[in-house]
Amino acid sequence: MEPPLGGRLKMVSATAPADGETPALDALYLAPVASAGLRWDPARGAAVTLNVLGGFRAPNLDDYQALGSGARSFDTPNGDLGPERSYTVELGLRWARGPLTASVWAHGSRLDGLVARVPSTYMGMSVFDGRRVYTRENASEAWMAGAEAEVSLRSRWGLYASVGASYTWAEAAVPDDDGAPVVEPMAKVPPAFGRVAVGVRRPWWWVDAILTGALPQDRLARSDRDDVRLCPDGPDACASVPGWASVALRLGARANDHVTVALAVENVFGASYTPYGAGFAAPGVNVISQVRVRTR
């Protein structure tokens, strides 16, 4: 049984001069953060880990002083924001014996004082420049739970196969247009994600084939539907963000102790997709070559 403990004191300072209608900013935060964990090895190759973690995030300058149209809204500044806090418990199980390696992690978090976009007005208008007007406040709290798992199998000849998946569920209490808290899915939480890989790993060469993808996400927050990156056709036509899948091939070889060459072909079948929350669609077929030379 190993009981790791840790702590740190974080100081964050944010300053900015007045700019037009944006007032000057001068904020200073001191935040103690602590963590504790236990590890138990019940048998050879097996481990159980329990961690309790504290987290802290200070607002950045964009949170404080954003003014103008963005992907989701027309934002107005707020220099009175405070830090966000998180409290997380995670439990992990790992097994590594012979050709088999497996791990499972589960986690739960509570987040307090989250910076949320709150309906507001600009120059007396709730809609400006074609966007709904929002400002940012420490007006939200959220709860998250999730799990991830991976299983790998390797043979003595270098053949291997692995499967991994992860999923996160989250809800948040955010204010509506009248300031009353409304519980809805937490914004910007990606859908279930998976990865399958097979290949051969030898001392002087390797080949990998990797399939990655995500399921559709239909748990969308109000601000998600206002985000043109997620809902390009507008909030009224957006009930779900599509899933996607992509295949990559990678191969390489060591010419000698000093020279390694590699080639990767990503999105082999030229699938058209946009990763969750990305502003641009993924490129078509992407070819990457590499030559690495070590002098020592």
Side-chain angles (χ1 to χ4, degrees):
M1 188 83 71
E2 301 177 7
L5 301 172
R8 68 183 187 275
L9 180 66
K10 188 172 184 178
M11 181 180 74
V12 177
S13 174
T15 60
D19 182 12
E21 298 180 16
T22 304
L25 174 66
D26 187 7
L28 176 67
Y29 301 109
L30 290 173
V33 180
S35 63
L38 292 173
R39 176 185 167 112
W40 176 42
D41 299 319
R44 186 166 64 90
V48 180
T49 304
L50 174 66
N51 295 317
V52 180
L53 309 166
F56 164 88
R57 188 190 82 89
N60 56 40
L61 291 179
D62 183 64
D63 290 329
Y64 283 119
Q65 295 194 308
L67 176 62
S69 293
R72 289 185 279 181
S73 57
F74 185 94
D75 293 333
T76 59
N78 180 5
D80 296 325
L81 294 175
E84 302 173 336
R85 287 282 192 172
S86 67
Y87 310 92
T88 300
V89 177
E90 60 181 16
L91 176 66
L93 310 175
R94 187 175 187 274
W95 174 268
R97 194 78 178 268
L100 180 65
T101 300
S103 65
V104 178
W105 284 88
H107 61 84
S109 300
R110 176 182 170 86
L111 302 96
D112 292 333
L114 293 183
V115 175
R117 284 178 165 82
V118 177
S120 184
T121 60
Y122 181 68
M123 300 176 63
M125 293 177 283
S126 60
V127 176
F128 190 86
D129 196 24
R131 297 274 197 275
R132 182 69 171 88
V133 178
Y134 286 88
T135 190
R136 305 184 197 193
E137 295 182 2
N138 296 99
S140 178
E141 59 182 11
W143 308 266
M144 300 178 66
E148 59 182 73
E150 183 173 7
V151 178
S152 298
L153 186 65
R154 295 180 179 272
S155 76
R156 67 180 65 182
W157 301 284
L159 296 170
Y160 79 91
S162 66
V163 178
S166 65
Y167 176 72
T168 300
W169 172 95
E171 286 191 341
V174 297
D176 62 11
D177 291 349
D178 299 321
V182 175
V183 176
E184 65 176 14
M186 188 177 176
K188 286 300 182 65
V189 175
F193 177 84
R195 180 179 184 271
V196 178
V198 295
V200 183
R201 291 294 179 116
R202 301 292 293 172
W204 290 94
W205 60 273
W206 69 91
V207 177
D208 302 315
I210 304 167
L211 169 66
T212 56
L215 296 178
Q217 176 61 289
D218 56 8
R219 303 192 76 249
L220 300 175
R222 175 180 51 182
S223 62
D224 288 336
R225 291 187 170 92
D226 288 333
D227 190 335
V228 296
R229 294 169 297 184
L230 297 175
C231 299
D233 297 326
D236 295 335
C238 186
S240 178
V241 175
W244 58 273
S246 179
V247 174
L249 296 177
R250 300 171 184 171
L251 62 153
R254 294 173 57 194
N256 51 49
D257 290 337
H258 302 285
V259 179
T260 302
V261 295
L263 177 70
V265 183
E266 299 178 339
N267 198 17
V268 173
F269 300 107
S272 176
Y273 69 95
T274 301
Y276 189 83
F280 301 94
V285 179
N286 191 25
V287 180
I288 303 170
S289 60
Q290 181 185 69
V291 177
R292 179 179 299 175
V293 179
R294 297 177 58 185
T295 58
R296 297 181 61 184

